[in-house]
Amino acid sequence: MLLAVDIGNTRIKAAVFEDDTLLEQFFFLKTELQENLSQILNRYPFCTDITVASVGGIEKELFLSLGNSIKIHFISHEDRFPFHNNYATPTTLGIDRMVLAAGAVLRYPNQHRLVIDAGTCVTYDFIDANDHYLGGAISPGLRLRYESLHAYTAKLPLLTKELPVDFIGNSTAQSIHSGIVAGLLHEIDGFIDQYKARYPKFIIILTGGDAEFLANRLKNTIFANSNFLLESLNQTFQYKNLK
């Protein structure tokens, strides 16, 4: 069994895998890491390995303190990935984006792929049919957009995500929801249309914490999978260790 751990900017997501089957997933805060890892390993005593992808600055020592009975694998830029990295600054490419790209290549071979991760940030990652990672884009996610409007203005309230009643907001709250939610939907569809102009046929994978909220409201056909990063972590581990 494998425990896959994704340390994001906001929270930690983890899942236990038996080969390609996801048995159970977990969500918790960074301050709860050690306690939750111990509980998960007690629940699944046959876990032999932990694979970790981190963009959230957790110290490795917190994992190493689990003892010698389980192997810890930290995904890094030095690992072998199933794609050619054409990024101009390859060592600055986020580990989470590299894992997503690896998952897209392993899950959907021999085709162009666009992975959109709608979390704290919205990242766009494009890998062509020849398994060349070309790059993408980074923009603020829904939560950051709401928080920035509140933090950098004098009177705008801090709201939580909500679908606008109409694209013409008839109140301050509805105007904010329209600007943020409809604005991000237009952004995503706009990026997809730009890729279509250059690559007529490709697969689109939407993942991240806001994937389900956004998925049915996009005009383009996508594969929505909020667990894609964890599943990609599992596949990357298998590729790295069994290839």
Side-chain angles (χ1 to χ4, degrees), residues 14-32:
V16 175
F17 289 90
E18 179 81 63
D19 296 324
D20 290 327
T21 302
L22 194 159
L23 301 180
E24 189 174 2
Q25 58 182 321
F26 310 86
F27 305 92
F28 45 90
L29 301 175
K30 295 177 185 178
T31 54
E32 303 168 339

Side-chain angles (χ1 to χ4, degrees), residues 6-65:
D6 166 34
I7 302 174
N9 291 298
T10 305
R11 61 177 180 169
I12 295 176
K13 298 176 283 292
V16 175
F17 289 90
E18 179 81 63
D19 296 324
D20 290 327
T21 302
L22 194 159
L23 301 180
E24 189 174 2
Q25 58 182 321
F26 310 86
F27 305 92
F28 45 90
L29 301 175
K30 295 177 185 178
T31 54
E32 303 168 339
L33 175 64
Q34 283 182 300
E35 177 185 354
N36 280 275
L37 286 180
S38 297
Q39 290 178 356
I40 294 169
L41 294 175
N42 286 334
R43 184 177 177 89
Y44 292 95
F46 296 108
C47 275
T48 57
D49 299 87
I50 299 177
T51 185
V52 184
S54 175
V55 297
I58 289 289
E59 296 293 332
K60 291 184 178 181
E61 286 71 18
L62 294 178
F63 286 89
L64 299 177
S65 65

Side-chain angles (χ1 to χ4, degrees), residues 71-228:
K71 298 176 183 177
I72 316 294
H73 308 263
F74 298 97
I75 304 295
S76 74
H77 292 91
E78 286 71 40
D79 284 329
R80 181 176 64 235
F81 289 89
F83 58 83
H84 304 281
N85 192 345
N86 289 12
Y87 213 49
T89 55
T91 59
T92 70
L93 181 60
I95 291 297
D96 55 339
R97 298 176 70 187
M98 296 184 72
V99 170
L100 287 170
V105 169
L106 295 170
R107 179 77 64 87
Y108 304 103
N110 306 316
Q111 56 189 307
H112 300 314
R113 315 91 165 168
L114 175 63
V115 185
I116 305 170
D117 184 3
T120 302
C121 293
V122 182
T123 58
Y124 303 80
D125 296 289
F126 193 82
I127 313 95
D128 70 15
N130 295 316
D131 298 339
H132 288 88
Y133 176 89
L134 303 184
I138 305 172
S139 71
L142 285 176
R143 183 178 63 84
L144 282 181
R145 296 178 192 222
Y146 279 107
E147 289 180 352
S148 64
L149 277 185
H150 174 66
Y152 291 100
T153 61
K155 296 183 178 179
L156 293 181
L158 178 59
L159 305 178
T160 56
K161 65 183 179 186
E162 178 183 308
L163 279 177
V165 175
D166 189 75
F167 73 94
I168 303 176
N170 66 353
S171 67
T172 296
Q174 283 300 310
S175 295
I176 291 173
H177 292 311
S178 178
I180 291 176
V181 177
L184 180 54
L185 290 169
H186 286 305
E187 175 193 302
I188 294 173
D189 275 324
F191 268 120
I192 292 172
D193 288 344
Q194 281 188 306
Y195 279 100
K196 282 182 176 179
R198 186 173 299 181
Y199 302 93
K201 187 177 181 180
F202 57 92
I203 188 170
I204 306 164
I205 306 112
L206 177 66
T207 190
D210 289 320
E212 294 182 6
F213 180 79
L214 298 168
N216 295 330
R217 298 167 180 102
L218 293 167
K219 71 177 184 180
N220 287 281
T221 301
I222 61 171
F223 289 96
N225 181 354
S226 59
N227 295 324
F228 191 69

